[in-house]
Amino acid sequence: VSNTLAQIEPLFQVDELGSIASRLGSLRRSLDTMGHLEEFSGARERLGQFEDRLEKRVSSKLKEGIESHDSGATKECLQIYEQMQRRDMLITRYTQTRKPTLVKVYAAFASGEPAPAPEHGHPPPFADKLHSLRQDLIAGLGVELAWCVEVFPDSGKFAAALWTDLISTIGEPLQGNINDKIFKGDFGEGELKQMAAVHACVVEMAVQAAEMLTRETLPGAKPEVEEVLKVSLSVMEKCQREYPAKEGKVLEKLAVRWKSDVTRSTSIAEGLRIVEDASAKFFSHLHHAATRAFALTSGGEAMAIARVLDEAVSALLEAFRGAVVHFRAIAGVDGGEGGGSKDKEKDSKAAKGTPAKEALSAEEEEDELLGDGDLPGADAAEYDWGYLQGALALLKVADTVKEKLKELDADVRDQTGRYAKGLFATATVESVRKQPPCMYIRSDKQRLPALEKFISRAQSREFITLVRSPSVLQTVHGKVEEFLLDTALSFVRKQLVGVGKLRVWGETKKSKAHLPSFSSSPLSYVTKIAEHLFSLPDQLDQSGGEDGGDEGSAESAFMQHWLARITGGVVHLYVETILSIPTLSPSGRTQLATDMQYLTSILSTLGAPALHRLEDLLKLVEATDEGFAGACMAVTSLDRAAIDKMARKRQPMA
């Protein structure tokens, strides 16, 4: 050992690199055969120093040979590295030397502007430019592989190492370039579709590189197909991670635009057309967005996709809620025009003040005594049923949205399950062509367990992937139902305004004219409400006069449900109005009983719920002074506060 080490130094002086490598290699093998004996530790250290000197001297020649693709010079250096058992260092030198050549290809792509397309005069889309880069990189890899076959026994591993190093260098800036070119500034569905073309281009590059570096005809050891595919597809990792959010941004803009269009509408009919059209188109966009996102991420971002879709549906429903608020304002159900009916302007003379009245006719005196002129709704225009029909149509849209939400949820579950089959399978050229895998998610220890759990739960039809939307939809659906009910009751509310303050309830004076009994006929507000109620069944009938409206059908059940809710609302409003009357004279009670009997019979015919409250209230109104206490004991549906109010407002018989 000592003699051999002593002979090496002179060889360095005459630059006999081949002889040096041969002797060092022989010594290395001898020492390895003898094992790690302490007596030879010094020799091993000196051997390593000589090898480092040799590698430093030969590296410059190796670099020159690799740079110029000089096969002969490179093979000589290869033999030296083989003798030193430094093959890994040889691969490193090769990749360091050749990578700049391929990096220049990317640099030209990143800095250059695409030439205008001759047929349109516009630059070609970014995907076309990326396609050219793919061709240039694959062509460059082909040149390198062909030269490696001439020089290195395991040429595939050398070329694969170069490719891996190249992708790790250009991957991040390439992804940044993709985002800047496609998603910079305002972007829409066109850019999202272009992203699919970019993904297809990267997949094709991965497939071509894998086929080239692992083909059977290559001599020596070859890289694993899956590893080459993983390296190549890593170019899309950042884009894939961020892609669901890009889809969400486009969907959010659609929801905002739709809400703006609805709130600019001037009628319910116009706004309803926008709502119907927009909701149908929006769910179509949602399904397309889900399909694109699953395809681009291969299911690896299934949870993010579900979250983005959930947020988009919630944005749609918030716009829907805004539409309901806007429609309420148009219909005037919140203290506005009362469902479209307008008060007539008061007589101009009454507004200005007039001299003492002349003698009144019997009819005029009766009108004055009854006080109908105090009713804002007494002369209201005919109720506009278009508002109720608009509310019914809006409820139908809300029901449709509910079904479409279920379909979207099922679509997310189905696509999650379909892509999960290939998400964790071994990647091959054939499988990647059919369904490119999301390679990076496999090594993400933080997110992978949650994804696996999500995939497992998505196999159940009971699992809900869109967790927030159903609760938001329930709230919005309630707002639509409230709008429908308020629209149907708006005319009734209008008629009842001021009824509690009519003079007739507390009137005790006698009229000059011979007045008939106060129980002869109901007041106008009651008859108008009755006419309105009798029209409700036809307005609520959704069967269009077809057989579907028969008893037991869905249309019939719908009509009965809403007829009950509306008439129940009328009962509540009328009871509250009666309780608001400050005082009731005997004659006033007689008139009120007539009104209540008439409206009760109408409501009973229509099957109004909770009618017993109005019936019990009628018993208290009809009761004589002597029988009032007994009537109070007999009623069961009225609370103590209501009974006390009725007791305080009664005036005894003269």
Side-chain angles (χ1 to χ4, degrees):
V1 170
S2 299
N3 289 336
T4 302
L5 291 174
Q7 295 170 3
I8 291 176
E9 184 61 39
L11 295 177
F12 272 105
Q13 304 302 321
V14 295
D15 207 25
E16 289 288 342
L17 301 183
S19 299
I20 297 173
S22 177
R23 297 196 181 195
L24 290 178
S26 176
L27 184 58
R28 169 69 66 184
R29 289 189 294 273
S30 299
L31 291 174
D32 289 344
T33 301
M34 298 183 68
H36 295 277
L37 298 177
E38 185 177 353
E39 291 83 353
F40 294 100
S41 59
R44 287 183 180 277
E45 184 177 350
R46 289 192 63 193
L47 175 62
Q49 294 172 352
F50 279 130
E51 288 177 338
D52 290 341
R53 287 177 61 187
L54 178 59
E55 200 277 328
K56 184 179 294 186
R57 184 167 297 186
V58 79
S59 63
S60 59
K61 293 185 176 182
L62 176 65
K63 182 178 180 181
E64 292 175 0
I66 293 174
E67 279 183 344
S68 60
H69 271 181
D70 186 337
S71 301
T74 306
K75 286 181 179 180
E76 291 179 4
C77 296
L78 172 62
Q79 293 175 356
I80 295 175
Y81 274 86
E82 292 282 5
Q83 292 284 354
M84 293 188 294
Q85 300 181 8
R86 294 192 175 187
R87 188 178 192 79
D88 291 341
M89 183 64 73
L90 182 63
I91 293 179
T92 301
R93 298 297 185 194
Y94 167 70
T95 56
Q96 289 175 344
T97 304
R98 295 305 303 171
K99 185 176 70 172
T101 302
L102 295 179
V103 169
K104 290 179 182 178
V105 175
Y106 170 75
F109 158 82
S111 61
E113 292 296 330
E119 62 273 19
H120 300 297
H122 298 293
F126 181 77
D128 291 347
K129 188 180 176 185
L130 187 65
H131 177 71
S132 299
L133 173 65
R134 174 187 64 80
Q135 290 179 320
D136 293 342
L137 290 178
I138 292 297
L141 179 61
V143 171
E144 292 300 323
L145 181 60
W147 184 75
C148 287
V149 169
E150 296 179 12
V151 179
F152 306 116
D154 43 0
S155 53
K157 279 190 169 293
F158 275 78
L162 173 61
W163 182 252
T164 299
D165 203 11
L166 172 68
I167 295 300
S168 66
T169 300
I170 70 172
E172 186 172 343
L174 176 57
Q175 292 184 79
N177 197 292
I178 292 172
N179 275 319
D180 289 344
K181 296 296 184 181
I182 296 181
F183 296 121
K184 190 175 183 179
D186 192 27
F187 60 89
E189 195 166 313
E191 285 74 19
L192 296 174
K193 291 179 179 178
Q194 189 174 168
M195 192 63 194
V198 169
H199 183 228
C201 184
V202 172
V203 169
E204 183 61 26
M205 181 178 71
V207 167
Q208 288 180 314
E211 289 179 330
M212 185 180 296
L213 295 172
T214 62
R215 68 174 184 259
E216 291 293 333
T217 56
L218 289 179
K222 292 178 283 293
E224 294 292 333
V225 173
E226 187 174 60
E227 190 60 31
V228 177
L229 292 170
K230 180 180 179 180
V231 167
S232 304
L233 293 174
S234 67
V235 168
M236 287 295 296
E237 178 177 341
K238 184 173 185 293
C239 296
Q240 287 175 309
R241 287 180 184 272
E242 298 176 354
Y243 184 79
K246 300 291 195 300
E247 289 280 3
K249 190 172 182 179
V250 173
L251 291 169
E252 181 184 356
K253 288 191 292 185
L254 287 174
V256 170
R257 187 176 66 190
W258 174 57
K259 182 178 181 180
S260 176
D261 291 343
V262 172
T263 53
R264 286 201 303 267
S265 61
T266 57
S267 68
I268 288 184
E270 178 189 357
L272 187 61
R273 284 193 297 271
I274 297 173
V275 169
E276 291 172 335
D277 183 62
S279 60
K281 289 182 178 178
F282 195 85
F283 273 94
S284 176
H285 283 294
L286 286 168
H287 283 285
H288 287 309
T291 300
R292 286 193 298 265
F294 270 102
L296 194 85
T297 65
S298 302
E301 297 293 340
M303 295 177 64
I305 295 169
R307 184 172 59 253
V308 163
L309 295 176
D310 198 17
E311 292 172 353
V313 174
S314 298
L316 169 72
L317 294 173
E318 289 299 329
F320 203 128
R321 195 206 304 259
V324 176
V325 173
H326 183 61
F327 290 166
R328 291 182 71 91
I330 293 176
V333 296
D334 296 317
E337 296 297 332
S341 47
K342 296 183 179 180
D343 300 337
K344 285 189 175 182
E345 296 181 0
K346 293 184 177 180
D347 185 86
S348 58
K349 293 183 179 180
K352 296 177 181 178
T354 57
K357 295 180 180 179
E358 300 178 356
L360 300 176
S361 65
E363 293 78 5
E364 291 171 332
E365 186 173 352
E366 182 176 0
D367 289 341
E368 182 182 345
L369 180 59
L370 295 176
D372 271 5
D374 292 341
L375 294 178
D379 294 320
E382 184 179 354
Y383 175 74
D384 187 353
W385 289 104
Y387 292 127
L388 179 61
Q389 292 302 318
L392 288 168
L394 192 62
L395 180 63
K396 187 175 182 180
V397 174
D399 290 335
T400 302
V401 168
K402 186 176 182 180
E403 294 304 315
K404 289 184 177 295
L405 181 58
K406 291 180 181 178
E407 293 173 1
L408 180 63
D409 199 271
D411 187 18
V412 173
R413 286 199 309 271
D414 292 343
Q415 294 204 59
T416 297
R418 185 167 69 251
Y419 280 96
K421 296 177 182 178
L423 193 58
F424 304 109
T426 301
T428 64
V429 170
E430 292 74 17
S431 67
V432 169
R433 285 190 185 277
K434 294 179 181 178
Q435 179 184 314
C438 185
M439 305 293 287
Y440 64 85
I441 200 68
R442 302 181 183 185
S443 56
D444 194 330
K445 295 181 179 180
Q446 184 176 358
R447 299 172 62 207
L448 185 58
L451 176 61
E452 290 176 328
K453 183 178 180 180
F454 183 84
I455 292 172
S456 176
R457 297 178 66 187
Q459 295 175 3
S460 170
R461 292 296 172 185
E462 287 71 33
F463 178 59
I464 298 175
T465 62
L466 310 179
V467 294
R468 182 187 172 209
S469 303
S471 61
V472 179
L473 176 59
Q474 186 176 5
T475 301
V476 173
H477 200 279
K479 293 293 183 182
V480 176
E481 290 186 340
E482 183 182 332
F483 172 51
L484 196 162
L485 187 59
D486 288 344
T487 302
L489 292 175
S490 62
F491 181 79
V492 177
R493 286 194 177 96
K494 189 71 173 178
Q495 299 305 313
L496 293 177
V497 171
V499 166
K501 298 180 181 179
L502 285 177
R503 296 190 302 275
V504 67
W505 310 133
E507 187 62 53
T508 58
K509 71 177 183 178
K510 301 290 185 179
S511 71
K512 295 179 181 179
H514 173 67
L515 291 179
S517 169
F518 276 89
S519 62
S520 61
S521 60
L523 296 183
S524 62
Y525 78 91
V526 175
T527 58
K528 287 179 180 290
I529 291 175
E531 292 172 4
H532 181 76
L533 292 177
F534 272 131
S535 300
L536 276 175
D538 288 339
Q539 295 296 328
L540 294 172
D541 185 6
Q542 301 294 295
S543 66
E546 300 175 357
D547 295 339
D550 292 343
E551 187 175 353
S553 65
E555 291 81 2
S556 176
F558 176 87
M559 181 183 69
Q560 293 300 327
H561 169 76
W562 279 103
L563 192 60
R565 290 190 64 175
I566 294 169
T567 54
V570 174
V571 170
H572 173 75
L573 290 173
Y574 196 36
V575 167
E576 294 301 314
T577 299
I578 293 170
L579 293 176
S580 72
I581 297 174
T583 181
L584 279 170
S585 66
S587 60
R589 292 200 300 272
T590 303
Q591 180 62 57
L592 181 58
T594 300
D595 295 347
M596 293 176 68
Q597 290 169 0
Y598 182 77
L599 192 55
T600 300
S601 66
I602 301 300
L603 290 169
S604 178
T605 302
L606 296 174
L611 194 57
H612 51 279
R613 292 196 70 216
L614 189 58
E615 293 170 340
D616 281 353
L617 203 58
L618 177 59
K619 292 176 183 178
L620 298 184
V621 173
E622 292 178 327
T624 63
D625 292 344
E626 296 78 10
F628 183 74
C632 291
M633 298 295 292
V635 297
T636 58
S637 63
L638 299 177
D639 57 21
R640 179 63 180 271
I643 295 174
D644 288 346
K645 283 184 179 180
M646 294 303 296
R648 287 195 298 269
K649 66 177 79 236
R650 288 176 64 92
Q651 295 178 6
M653 292 288 291

